[in-house]
Structures are given as structure tokens and as C-alpha cells.
Amino acid sequence: MTKYRINKTRFVDQTKTVSFTFDGKKYHGFEGDTLASALLSNGIHLVGRSFKYHRPRGIMSCGSEEPNAICQINDNTDLTEPNVRATEIELYEGLKASSQNCWPSLNFDIGGINNLISPFIPAGFYYKTFMWPKSFWKKIYEPLIRLSAGLGKSPTQPDPDIYDHKHEHCDVVVIGGGISGIISAKIAAKNNLKTILIEDKNILGGSTIYQNNKNFIIDNQKSNEWLMNEISELEKLDNLIIKTRTSLAAFHSYNYLLAKENISDHLPLDKKNGSIRQRLWKIRADKVIVAAGAIERPLVFNNNDRPGIILANSVKKYLDFYGVSTGLNNIIFTNNDSAYETAVSLFDKGISVKIVDIRKRSSSNIVKNAEDLGIKIYWNSTVVNTFGYKKIKSIEIMNLSEDGSNVTGNKHKIQCDCLSISGGWTPMVHMHTQSGGKLDFREIDQVFVPSEKSGNHINVGSCNGDFELEEIVKNTNNKVKKFLNINEGSFDKISVICSKESEKKNIWLLPNTISESKTKSFIDFQNDSTAKDIKLALREGFKSIEHVKRYTTTGMATDQGKLSNMHALGIIADTAGVKMGTLGTTTFRPPFTPLTFGAIVGRSVGKFFDIVRKTSIHKWHVQNNAKFENVGQWKRPWYYPINNENLHEAVQRESKAARDSAGILDASTLGKIDIQGSDASEFLNRVYTNAWSKLGIGKCRYGLMLNEDGMVYDDGVTTRLGENHYLMTTTTGGAANVLFKLEDYLQTEWPELDVYLTSVTDHYSTASICGPNSKKILKKLFPNKDFSDEAFPHMSYQDAIIDKTECRIMRISFTGELSYEINVESKYGKSLWENCIAAGEEYKITPYGTETMHLLRAEKGFIIVGQDTDGTMTPIDLQMDWIVSKKKYDFIGKRSLYRSDTIREDRKQLVGLLTDDPNEILEEGAQIVSELDKKPVEMIGHVTSSYFSPNLNKSIALAVVKGGKKMNGQKLFVPMENKNINVTVSDFIFLDKENKRINA
Amino acid sequence: MFVINCPYCGERDQSEFSCGGEAHIVRPKQPTELSDDEWAEYLFMKKNIKGVQFERWNHAHGCRKWFNMIRDTSNDKIHAVYKMGEKPPVI
């Protein structure tokens, strides 16, 4: 046993040794230890350097509030994890941990120089200092700041661990497995309510489980023994789920809870493999009982941050729970009775202990107990300084003046190797406020307590501001019974004896003899903000607590101010001379403790990150070397390279083939909406800009859909299949939104219309064959069909049979070529496609992808919604006046087309651009200017589509330019990083303006 | 994350729904008769109040029906849920 492992407890199995390394050195602890308790048992206090001044820091607490002991785990691998709290991580065989924020080593840290120059780096230092010269920012200041910013090292490899999500519904959730949580869970579960008890530690019991002081008696037993029996009874209850190692991350409204369960973090490395690491529980509960407990406050005095200064109740936990003494010569510095329990515990183990108390006296049983044992108590005294660089060696104390605002008398120096501090308790009201609850300020002991109006949750125990054992037990019992409508409970006749505190005193910033500017009284230990930083912020005019917080970074570290927020508030209130209750608090945001990204995303990683949609022809594309492009969730063939062709070469070949002979495109991804009902024609009249009533059965028409603000929303061809039956196509990416919008109008604005909409995108697969030889290929596929222009004109459709399967043939074109689209039920898609390829072989039918499709339509000046439009383009801007019906009384967006803004002549309008050098290809998104000399240069538009056209043998581009309609022939410039490209505005239809090819 | 009582399906998680903004704004029957200002009033001027608000909601990942909801935006308390076309209940 090590020098500091002085006690045997039931919680640490001292027969099972566990070895681990810290900063490369090997140590031993036992099963049941945390990393922190194991380090302390080896006499190690110094575990890290502080963020700003690089001061040596030691373990300060035993839980999630720990500001200093944050470690890097598995430091030598690519899968290292930073900022793990040593006080929370359970020791396992092979654990490798190291300190953070120090270089070259924990014991000798160059950054420690910041401590010496600290008078020159006050709060707001970065805001004030790196202002000038401006040119220094990018090369000098920013890299410097980045070097010193951040805690720990990030892993460089993807996380290989498995994370899980699970949904759960129940009657009651109890948050916290301390004494009040255990009482609540038992009452609920015994009354046939399905109950979940959540506890973040590995065992239940909270701080009562190691409360072995004889002053705390329940039903004639020591409180820890009583609770032990209760826990074993609890474990027998059927409708109670106990979730240990599970921490509540968030408590949202409507009792929706997120809780993270650690499943394999505590297991030795060889046993972790393959098992789930963490599970995020998503719980919807009828009622929630918060029993989250309280966190002990530190005290704020000069040099209150040295290694060896530890919260008093944590000292007791290390002693009575882990069997570890944090020092052999202890001083306790307190403003309340609870620290006396620590003193008595230390004394019982034979460890030297003295007490410094800021109060003049206290008459409670526990204080009397300490006095009777002969423990030396310095009443009405405060610590004014501490000594020892890497570990505390001694302290200086002085008497307090009558009102506590100053110190009097002589300094008295006392040697020690551990200083236990206690500034009282802060109820954990995070859960309550996260769910929308408000807080009240209680003057007597300076705490914020939950204000419960009504609702489906209550707070019990110390998170409700009940700190004495008797009131915890009795109030919890009464409150839970009332909350759950239960008349009789198991705890109605319980007898509790405990020490009661009557004298209370609190001083947020303890007085000193030396001037404040020369002290370092830390409030936020992790972010190194001190009392004088807070006061500086106030002097500089910051008044709101939220502003002071951000300016001084108090409470903004990974511990989220669990130890610091109350002191910051108190010092602001005292300095500004206002009542603390009037200041409010900063917002308590989830998560309560940091969550891993793994737990947040769960199984939704890699292939499961998002849905991937593939057409029925996908396999053929893969076999034929297609490169794919993501369009929404769809995988669409982008181009089909042959013999190491690059994108450009493949697209040039494909587009030439499509215009010279025949090309084939998988168009299955286009959105398809089946529209039926006696008002279907009227409905289309209202949603499209053009007229639909006179469209004959068997005919197709292109339609443009606007938003109510007049801007182009979507486009596509709609076919009239029958008197009251249409098939609408939409853009691939817009399908879901178009359906959503159409349903909205049908249900809310025009419920009188008899129209039914069905999404049939996935029902059909589409092969689109285009090119001068396409008709010949169609004839081979459908020998019995008449494809003459008279029998089957452009913009019409016919039913047909292929391979005994029904299909629809639409003669429509997005390329400007003679073109047919064949639709079959999806399951026959691949077979249809292979038939088309076989039939087209003699014409060298060439499969082409989206890139070639974009090029072909750009040659023809057809827009792509979303590429050539951006939600600010009207059909008039797109020079598509021909599609806007003048006769129709109304359609979606009509009125907006003649608002004062939409009729402006200098709006951005669609134009064609030709580069003076026909081989120069513009970059899509490039900006367009008319004058190069004018400064600042005015941007008058941008390039929306740009390609090299193999059919025209020159570069072509579509662009939107202010007032572009009237600029035909005008010279403009596209300034790039190294040069200005000269361009000429042209017609945006580059090829076959007479529409001859469609009927070729 | 609240629970919404869809008038067609019953209680479901908020993640199944999408909000469509302020309710009871009727599309003008004769938009062409309106001045620019009047049309702009319909088109752009939506309330976003702290307190009790009338909203349109859609059960997008469920029955896809639109309905109305009275919600207090300050605490997400839902006062009432009612079908499209129905008069809002008095709260």
C-alpha cells in the first residue's frame, strides 16, 4: 500500500491492482479508483498547468466540476482524447494519461513566464493588444494566438468506436442516485410507476454513501449503512431501471431527456474491443424528479489555486470512499459546518488537522464534536496567502474585522501539505433551468433555488436547496408523494437525527492586506480569471453578467463555470452595490457535462450518415465505369470516362456523340408527381405561369413554377395522361419541396379543389435517348409504332409495350435534339436500359452523364433552376416572358411580377457570354464588371454556367448581368486573380435558334 | 422538443412536424386588385411574437396534413390544436 492509501473501504477493492501511466511513468491503483484517486494515492497532486498563466494546478474536486485535472488519454496514438476529467474516469488496466497545456513538461513549463508577466495581460488583453499594426494580424498575431489557444490535442484519425442511440418512454425519471433520488425512485417504483433512475457514478448513494459520521443517524443506523440497505432493496424492484455511469446531458421541454451512458469506457483495453462505447438515451417521461445534488463552493482568496488546495467534501470522499488521504498535515478553511465532517473523518484516521473558520462561532453538534476531539479551530479568521509552487507548503491567516470587510491583527503562518476549502454549497439547478424553470435567490445562504410554479417536474434534495439530512429525507418524501399523488409512502415514519447549522456567513471575495492588483484570487481556475479581472470589467463599463462573463471568459471553460459562476456573480453584486438576486444568472445550457461527438451522432456515421438513393439502372453505370455526382440524395452518373479520360475529355466526346448520332441519359431521378382529380387542370393553371386548360390528352408542356414572391421555384414537363390525370416532373433536387408546396396550397388555400397528389418518383425509371439517330433506335425498340412527326409529334406522349411491359414514351427534349424519354416501372428499368443500348449499338449510342446534359442544354440556352437561378430571378429576368400567361387572372406569384422592385430594368438578367479568346473557359461564379478603372469596382453580375462546346468549337457561358437584356454585343470583363478576361454579351441561345434539330 | 397532438394521428414527437409560420393569413382572392403595399402586407409582414402565437404546422413525416396550433413561444406551451378551416378555440 502506498503512503497515502491509509484506509480500507468497501468501494475500492485493494486485492485487485490496476497499473496505469501518467506522463509516461507507471503507477498502481486499485479497482474502484478513479484516475484522480489513484494519482492522489501515489502522492501526485500536480496534474496540469493553467490555461493563461501556466500556473501549476492540482486535483481540486472529485466530480464533473473539476477545473484543473483534465487529461489527455492515450496520448501516443492517433486516437487520443483530450480534456478527460481525471476525477470522473474510472481506472482500468493499461490506461495512459498525460497532462495538458504544458511544454516541454509538466514540471518545467516555458509558458510559466506568463505568470510573471501577468500584470501585463489583464482581462480583455487580446481585444486591446492585437489591434495594430494591422499588417501584423495575419502573419504574426493570429498564428501566435492560435499556438496558445485550445486545450489538449485532437485525434487525427476517425473514431473507430461504436456509439448507440436508444429511445425510452416511462412514467418517472429520477435524475441523480443520491439519498433523495433513491427515496424518490423507491416511492415511484413501489407505486407501479415505470421508473428510470439515472446516476452518473458507477454506484448509487451520492455523498451519503460514505457519510459515516455518528451525528447523522437514520432509523437508528448511521446514514451510510441505512442507505446501503435501501439500495439493496431498490435493486429488487421490478419496474425500476437503474442506469449507473449515465449522466444527464440535457433536460428539454416536455420532459424530453438526453442521457449518456458510458458502457465500456471503464473496461481494460483488451475487453473494450467490439463493444459499444457510449449510448445516448432519448427519454420521454411523464414526470421527472430532479435530484441532482449540490456542488461545493471554493473560497476566493490570494493564491487559492495551488496544488494541494482541494474542496473539503472531496477530501472526505477521497478518504472515506477511496481510502486515500490528500495530505498528512491538513488545514480546513471554511465558512460552514459541512467541512467539520471532513475534519472529524481526518482526525479519526489519525491525520493532523486544524480548522480556519471565517465565522465567529458555530453551535452545531458536528462543530462540538470537532471541539471535543481537541481539533484546533481558528475562529473569525481568513487565509490571506498560501505558499509552495508545485504543492502547498504553508498558509498565512489573519483575523477578520467586525464586519468582515477587512483583516486585522498579525499574520500567523501555519505549515500544511493540504488545504481543504469549503465556501458552502451550490444547488445544481442546471436541469431545472434547462427545462424552462425559473430561479429564486435565497439570501440567508446566498443560493439560487428552483422556483416551482407548476409543471411536470420537481426538484428534491440539495439541488432544491435542502442541505440538512433531516429536511432532505422528509421534504423529498412529502414532495414526491404529492407530485405522484400517493397517499402513503415507505418513508412516512422515518426518524432522522443530524447536525444542524445555525450560524451562516459568506464573503465572496475574502479581504487582504495587500492591494487587490497584486493578488491572484482565482474565480475560474480553468480559464484563469481572477477577482481583479471581474472588477476591471466592471470599471471598464461592463454591467450585464453575460457581458462580464464573455469579457473575462469566466465560466466559459470546459467545466462551464460549475465552481466559478456564483463567485463571479457575488463579486459583481458586491462591487456594484446591488443585491445579488437582481442580477440574474448566466444561461445554463446543455450539455451539463461535455458530450462526445460519437454519442451525438450515434450510428449515423459513414454509410448511415444520410440516405443514398440509386436508380434501378445504377449497377449498369457502375459496370460501365461511371463517375457519380450527388444530386440531393441521388447518385447520378456524372460522366463515363473511357481509357483514362478526364472529365473534360469525356464530356467533349459524350456531347459530340449526342449531337452527331445518339446519346442516352438515365433520367430516373427527376421528381414525378401523379396528379388526379376533376380540378387537376385548374390546379395546374394556378401553380404554373402558363395556361393548361387547353392542353390535349396525350400532350406534354413545359411549365415554370414561381414562389408567391414571383421568383422562379421549379420547372419541368407535365404530361396530360387523361381527362383528369397528369404526370408532373420536377427537378431532381426540388421534388420533395414541390410536393410539400403543392400540398400546402391544396390543403390550406384551395381545399375546394378536387385534386390528389401522389409522389411517384421511385415508381418509374426513365431512359432518355437523344440525337439525330434517336428515332431509328426507337423504331428498332418499338417496330409496330409510327414515329412520324404527324403520328408522334414533338411534345406528345404515347403508351407502348416493350418486352411485354407497359411503358410511356414522351417525345420531349432538354438538349435541343430530337429526343424520346421512355418510362417503365422501376423494376424493369435496367432491362429497358440494356435494350436501348443494344438497339443503339449500330449508331454508337453513347451514355452520357449530368455534366454533358448540362453542357448540351447550355448550348441551347435552357436554364437549370438552382444553377442559373438563385431565388432572386423572375421569369422576366430569365427572358422567359413567353411562358408567363397574360390572360390568366391569377397564378402563384403573378401579382409579384409587377411590384415596383420586380419591374426594375436594372435587375440582373440572363445573358450569354462569349470570351474573346474562344479557348478561354470562364469559371462558374466568377464576377463580372463593366469598368476596370473605376474604384471601387462595381460587380454587375456573375457567371452561372460555363463550358467549352465541342459542337460550336468555342467557349460559351450563361450569366446574370444587371440590365443585361439591353447589353447585347457589349464588352465586359471577368477579373480573375491574375488577369482580366474580355467577354462579349451575346444571345443566350448558342445553337439552333430556329429549333430545327428537334424535328430532324 | 415538444410533443404535438396531431388532430389526425394523436401525440407525436416534434421531429415529425414542420412549422409553416403564422396562421390565418388568407391568400387574397383578387391579388391583381391590390396595391403594391397591400400585396406586400400579405406577402412579407409576418408576426413573430414572444407569447401566444397562432401557427401553421404540417405533420410532414406522418399524415402530411396541415393544421393550426396555438403555442406560447416563450415557453412552448401548446394551448390548442385544430384542423384547417376550423375557427380557433378561445383560450
Side-chain angles (χ1 to χ4, degrees), chain A residues 94 185 233 305 368 383 413 544 548 572 663 669 683 738 813 873:
Chain A
E233 289 215 359
D305 68 325
K368 190 159 183 305
V383 177
K413 198 161 189 167
S544 152
V548 174
I572 292 169
T669 63
F683 181 64
V738 168
S813 177
M873 303 296 289

Side-chain angles (χ1 to χ4, degrees), chain A residues 253-254 256 284 708-709 739-740 743-745 747-749 889-892 895-896 898-900, chain B residues 1-3 13 18 27 30-36 39 43 56 58 64-66 76-78:
Chain A
S253 56
Y254 287 69
Y256 183 66
R284 186 76 77 170
E708 204 69 273
D709 61 6
L739 182 68
F740 186 76
E743 283 180 334
D744 186 353
Y745 274 91
Q747 289 181 38
T748 65
E749 298 294 349
Y889 183 67
D890 192 15
F891 56 82
I892 296 172
R895 176 60 186 83
S896 291
Y898 54 94
R899 290 177 55 239
S900 57
Chain B
M1 274 275 257
F2 31 102
V3 175
D13 209 277
S18 63
R27 188 175 187 271
Q30 296 172 315
T32 43
E33 311 284 310
L34 302 181
S35 70
D36 269 12
W39 179 246
L43 198 54
R56 286 152 27 91
N58 180 247
R64 293 190 69 86
K65 283 283 194 186
W66 283 90
D76 286 340
K77 187 173 156 50
I78 297 169

